[in-house]
Amino acid sequence: MALKKRGGAVTDEMGDEAGGDRQFVTALSRGLDILRCFEPTDGPLGNADLAQRCGLPKATVSRLTYTLAKLGYLDYLPDSGKYRMGVAVLGLGYACLGGLKIRETAQPYLQALADHAGDGVLTALAGRDDLSMVYIACARAPGMVSLQQDVGSRLSLGRSSIGRAYLAALDQPTRAPLMERLRQRAGDEFWPMVERGILRSAEEIRARGFCLNVGEWVQGVNSVAVPLRPTQPGQPPLAFNCGGPSYLLTPERLERELGPRLVELANRVALVGRAV
């Protein structure tokens, strides 16, 4: 998250939290930004790597990584002078998943749809973290070909079908600041294309309950997604998707077969979730 200096006050892309909200703890926010820099495919990262990724001064990053290592959220590797995720982060992740009972409800339905779709197609349930969607449940059918994603994998909020389905489920006051942050991240050159995709997906969901993404997130990968609105008080909005290589999941198959099945899946999970 890049920090910007406006009129002598430090603010960030989240808006005015750092400069205008007395309840907002900027140091905590920056520490969490450090943890968000690590991706599942990364090796250890040094302070310079982290400073570049999160847009903070290296001196600030050094203090944050030192503190996070002391608390067990990062492991320091003296041979390389770099850091990797610590076990304490895993404990937080499992605590989060344990509190999301909806994923237990969804898992058998996800597996049934994956088995129906066949040949390694991935089905998943995801929630939002910052400007990404994070898988909280996944299923795939056996096959030689499969997307290399699992629980914890991140997808673009603005460019993936599951992210666009999530945005479509939000009310306007909640969605508007996210759209502004996505605009800032995309930049003036790419934002019109990203915005068109988001608006088109919202219209598709209004019309038929699901939205398609044909190679817009990753070339050669097609997917369909459906929002899951909260079924219990305090539950965040979530979204489902079904994706795979374009030669396995053609637009015609997604539109005629898997999209309607995914809508049915979401309706069943919501019904069970409300009854739990």
Side-chain angles (χ1 to χ4, degrees):
M1 179 173 62
L3 296 179
K4 301 179 181 179
K5 197 166 186 178
R6 300 176 184 166
V10 176
T11 62
D12 57 31
E13 291 179 0
M14 295 178 69
D16 294 328
E17 292 93 336
D21 188 346
R22 292 186 178 184
Q23 294 295 103
F24 188 87
V25 182
T26 301
L28 175 58
S29 173
R30 292 176 178 178
L32 295 174
D33 287 339
I34 294 293
L35 296 179
R36 284 195 181 103
C37 287
F38 289 84
E39 298 288 344
T41 55
D42 284 333
L45 299 176
N47 287 330
D49 303 317
L50 295 166
Q52 183 178 15
R53 290 191 180 190
C54 65
L56 292 171
K58 186 176 177 182
T60 301
V61 170
S62 297
R63 293 194 298 272
L64 292 169
T65 53
Y66 175 85
T67 303
L68 290 166
K70 282 289 186 179
L71 295 173
Y73 295 107
L74 293 179
D75 290 333
Y76 178 66
L77 307 177
D79 290 346
S80 63
K82 296 184 177 183
Y83 295 88
R84 66 186 176 198
M85 281 284 197
V87 173
V89 176
L90 185 62
L92 291 177
Y94 273 100
C96 171
L97 293 178
L100 291 170
K101 300 302 182 185
I102 195 72
R103 66 187 296 269
E104 299 176 8
T105 301
Q107 192 66 49
Y109 294 101
L110 289 171
Q111 190 62 60
L113 181 58
D115 291 339
H116 169 81
D119 200 18
V121 168
L122 178 75
T123 59
L125 173 66
R128 182 178 69 86
D129 175 30
D130 197 43
L131 295 182
S132 299
M133 295 296 289
V134 179
Y135 282 158
I136 60 175
C138 294
R140 54 171 53 85
M144 296 298 293
V145 177
S146 180
L147 298 179
Q148 298 304 305
Q149 295 172 324
D150 214 323
V151 172
S153 293
R154 290 176 174 268
L155 291 82
S156 167
L157 178 63
R159 294 186 296 111
S160 68
S161 64
I162 201 167
R164 293 172 178 178
Y166 171 90
L167 289 169
L170 302 179
D171 57 34
Q172 179 61 20
T174 305
R175 183 169 56 249
L178 285 175
M179 293 291 284
E180 174 59 21
R181 293 183 61 209
L182 288 169
R183 184 193 67 77
Q184 293 177 9
R185 172 168 289 189
D188 293 339
E189 180 181 357
F190 295 105
W191 174 241
M193 177 181 64
V194 175
E195 184 182 33
R196 281 196 300 272
I198 293 171
L199 296 178
R200 185 189 67 244
S201 295
E203 181 57 36
E204 289 177 356
I205 288 172
R206 281 193 293 270
R208 57 191 182 184
F210 61 87
C211 64
L212 301 187
N213 188 302
V214 180
E216 294 178 69
W217 174 56
V218 175
Q219 188 174 6
V221 174
N222 294 345
S223 62
V224 60
V226 173
L228 178 67
R229 293 171 175 82
T231 60
Q232 296 286 350
Q235 179 187 307
L238 304 170
F240 289 102
N241 76 348
C242 175
S246 56
Y247 63 88
L248 298 175
L249 298 183
T250 63
E252 293 75 20
R253 188 184 182 203
L254 291 174
E255 185 168 355
R256 296 176 183 176
E257 178 190 350
L258 297 178
R261 283 181 176 267
L262 196 60
V263 171
E264 182 181 2
L265 181 155
N267 290 338
R268 288 183 177 179
V269 170
L271 183 63
V272 175
R274 283 191 289 268
V276 174

